[in-house]
Amino acid sequence: MTNTAALRQQLYQDMSPLNLTPLWEVLHALVPPQPSSPCVPALWKYEQIKPFLKRAGEAITAEEAVRRVLILENPALRGQSAVTQSLYAGLQLILPGEVAPSHRHTQSALRFIVEGTGAYTAVDGERSTMHPGDFIITPSWTWHDHGNESTEPVVWLDGLDIPMIRFFDAGFAQNDIAKSQTVARAEGSSFARYGHNMAPVRGDAPFGATSPIFSYPYERSREALYQLERDAAMDPWDGVKLRYINPATGGSPMPTMATFMQRLPARFDGKSCRQTDGAVYSVVEGAGTAYIDGPAGSVRFDFEARDHFVVPSWHALRLASIAGCVLFSYSDRPVHQALGIHQEERIP
Ligand code: GTQ
């Protein structure tokens, strides 16, 4: 070792007991020239996951589990219950007759219905019946329980901001005394109040920064996408892509998560784009291919309905579809935007 190197090593060693460490050894990694996410792209094929959901259904009841969920963990973040550094994803199963008991937490949740019809989620005394493709929200700190009074198993994607809230050490949670909430309002009340480009004259933001609409039915979003496919110019990167909004603000439905639905028409061959917000995709209809390029190389995911995949921050995504498809996705974009750090690069 040279004198200088020895001098430095001695310095680091001597100050370490005082919890001091030299910035100059880590500066390049702390302030990288561009995002270098530890996450990797990953694909979960539904046909491979389904047998494990079924076995989970045999192994534990929804009530005992509280939430019977198989977490989609980023392969590079195993053990952290995270699909990206800031987001959580899981597939929740509820069998006929089951109840997932009422609780509340400061983490915001979205449900995206993957398979089965007729389960419900109850938020703040109002139930929303689930149909495949519906997007349902649970605002931060609202009581919520899930149940299934139908005759078929229902599976949905849970998207939560759990890792983000953990990062801020800002999580609170409570269990309800009652297993299921008393129904206080008719189903569809929130949609009737806020879902028709109208709003109550008083009391506009009952859930603060979160949308007052609990359920965004697929019937509506699908109709919009298919009409735009027929009548509007296609975006070369996204096909036809719409973002869900909080009708009271025009912003994202939840303060921490943005949600999107997009239609790739048959024979769509998209251009490549990268964004600072990593995103989770749920395939609603059809099939296609995602080409994802990142620092660790390129991957190709062939997806079909009910598959899920994650595109980490600043990984270029290119989408293509021969048959046509519909994709739901969510990301932490509203937080990037609130902080003024969101970036997008559309590669020509
Ligand atoms: O339904 O409340 O997947 O609290 C993880 C945590 C679902 C829920 C999850 C939760 C929930």
Side-chain angles (χ1 to χ4, degrees):
M1 230 192 294
T2 64
N3 242 354
T4 317
L7 186 87
R8 289 177 187 169
Q9 284 312 315
Q10 195 60 51
L11 168 66
Y12 304 164
Q13 201 181 316
D14 292 348
M15 66 184 176
S16 180
L18 295 180
N19 304 307
L20 295 171
T21 194
L23 169 65
W24 58 88
E25 294 288 347
V26 293
L27 182 59
H28 54 287
L30 281 185
V31 189
Q34 56 178 31
S36 64
S37 176
C39 302
V40 293
L43 169 70
W44 290 266
K45 298 292 289 178
Y46 193 65
E47 63 168 21
Q48 290 180 344
I49 293 178
K50 192 146 188 209
F52 294 103
L53 281 167
K54 192 167 180 295
R55 279 170 63 180
E58 289 153 8
I60 192 163
T61 64
E63 193 168 342
E64 193 189 348
V66 182
R67 297 294 182 263
R68 188 203 285 115
V69 178
L70 302 186
I71 302 173
L72 307 184
E73 279 197 323
N74 193 289
L77 303 177
R78 293 305 307 271
Q80 297 182 40
S81 304
V83 68
T84 69
Q85 294 263 75
S86 60
L87 297 174
Y88 161 104
L91 289 174
Q92 181 158 175
L93 166 71
I94 189 150
L95 295 170
E98 287 192 319
V99 166
S102 179
H103 70 185
R104 64 176 176 175
H105 38 71
T106 44
Q107 290 82 359
S108 295
L110 68 87
R111 329 283 169 190
F112 185 72
I113 318 312
V114 171
E115 186 174 31
T117 298
Y120 67 83
T121 188
V123 172
D124 203 46
E126 182 179 331
R127 287 185 179 182
S128 296
T129 301
M130 299 175 166
H131 316 85
D134 290 354
F135 157 54
I136 293 177
I137 61 176
T138 306
S140 174
W141 207 238
T142 50
W143 295 111
H144 54 285
D145 53 82
H146 316 297
N148 187 349
E149 293 173 354
S150 83
T151 52
E152 51 180 318
V154 175
V155 175
W156 67 82
L157 170 70
D158 277 325
L160 286 91
D161 52 13
I162 288 174
M164 194 189 310
I165 302 304
R166 181 168 62 199
F167 172 81
F168 289 120
D169 287 333
F172 292 87
Q174 281 179 344
N175 290 322
D176 206 347
I177 303 157
K179 205 163 75 169
S180 302
Q181 291 172 59
T182 314
V183 174
R185 272 175 293 128
E187 170 148 14
S189 295
S190 70
F191 202 85
R193 287 196 177 88
Y194 297 95
H196 302 281
N197 297 318
M198 302 183 89
V201 177
R202 291 181 190 81
D204 257 357
F207 302 102
T210 300
S211 171
I213 291 183
F214 298 145
S215 175
Y216 295 75
Y218 185 46
E219 211 186 332
R220 296 294 188 97
S221 16
R222 187 178 195 277
E223 187 185 317
L225 293 177
Y226 278 81
Q227 166 155 4
L228 291 170
E229 178 183 353
R230 288 190 302 271
D231 300 345
M234 200 61 56
D235 182 273
W237 287 267
D238 293 335
V240 179
K241 187 171 186 176
L242 295 173
R243 63 186 176 91
Y244 289 89
I245 61 164
N246 173 345
T249 63
S252 58
M254 282 164 288
T256 50
M257 290 182 284
T259 46
F260 307 89
M261 189 73 105
Q262 85 194 91
R263 163 85 185 144
L264 309 181
R267 293 174 298 283
F268 182 77
D269 190 13
K271 293 185 177 185
S272 183
C273 177
R274 57 183 178 175
Q275 319 241 5
T276 50
D277 52 326
V280 178
Y281 285 77
S282 180
V283 184
V284 192
E285 288 183 28
T289 305
Y291 300 89
I292 305 169
D293 277 316
S298 304
V299 290
R300 172 198 168 131
F301 293 153
D302 291 308
F303 58 75
E304 58 203 325
R306 303 188 177 110
D307 290 348
H308 293 82
F309 59 95
V310 57
V311 183
S313 165
W314 216 238
H315 282 57
L317 168 67
R318 185 166 78 76
L319 292 166
S321 178
I322 293 166
C325 63
V326 177
L327 303 172
F328 171 84
S329 58
Y330 69 98
S331 82
D332 56 1
R333 188 174 305 176
V335 182
H336 293 233
Q337 289 173 327
L339 301 180
I341 55 166
H342 183 254
Q343 289 205 41
E344 173 185 56
E345 184 189 2
R346 297 189 132 201
I347 299 145

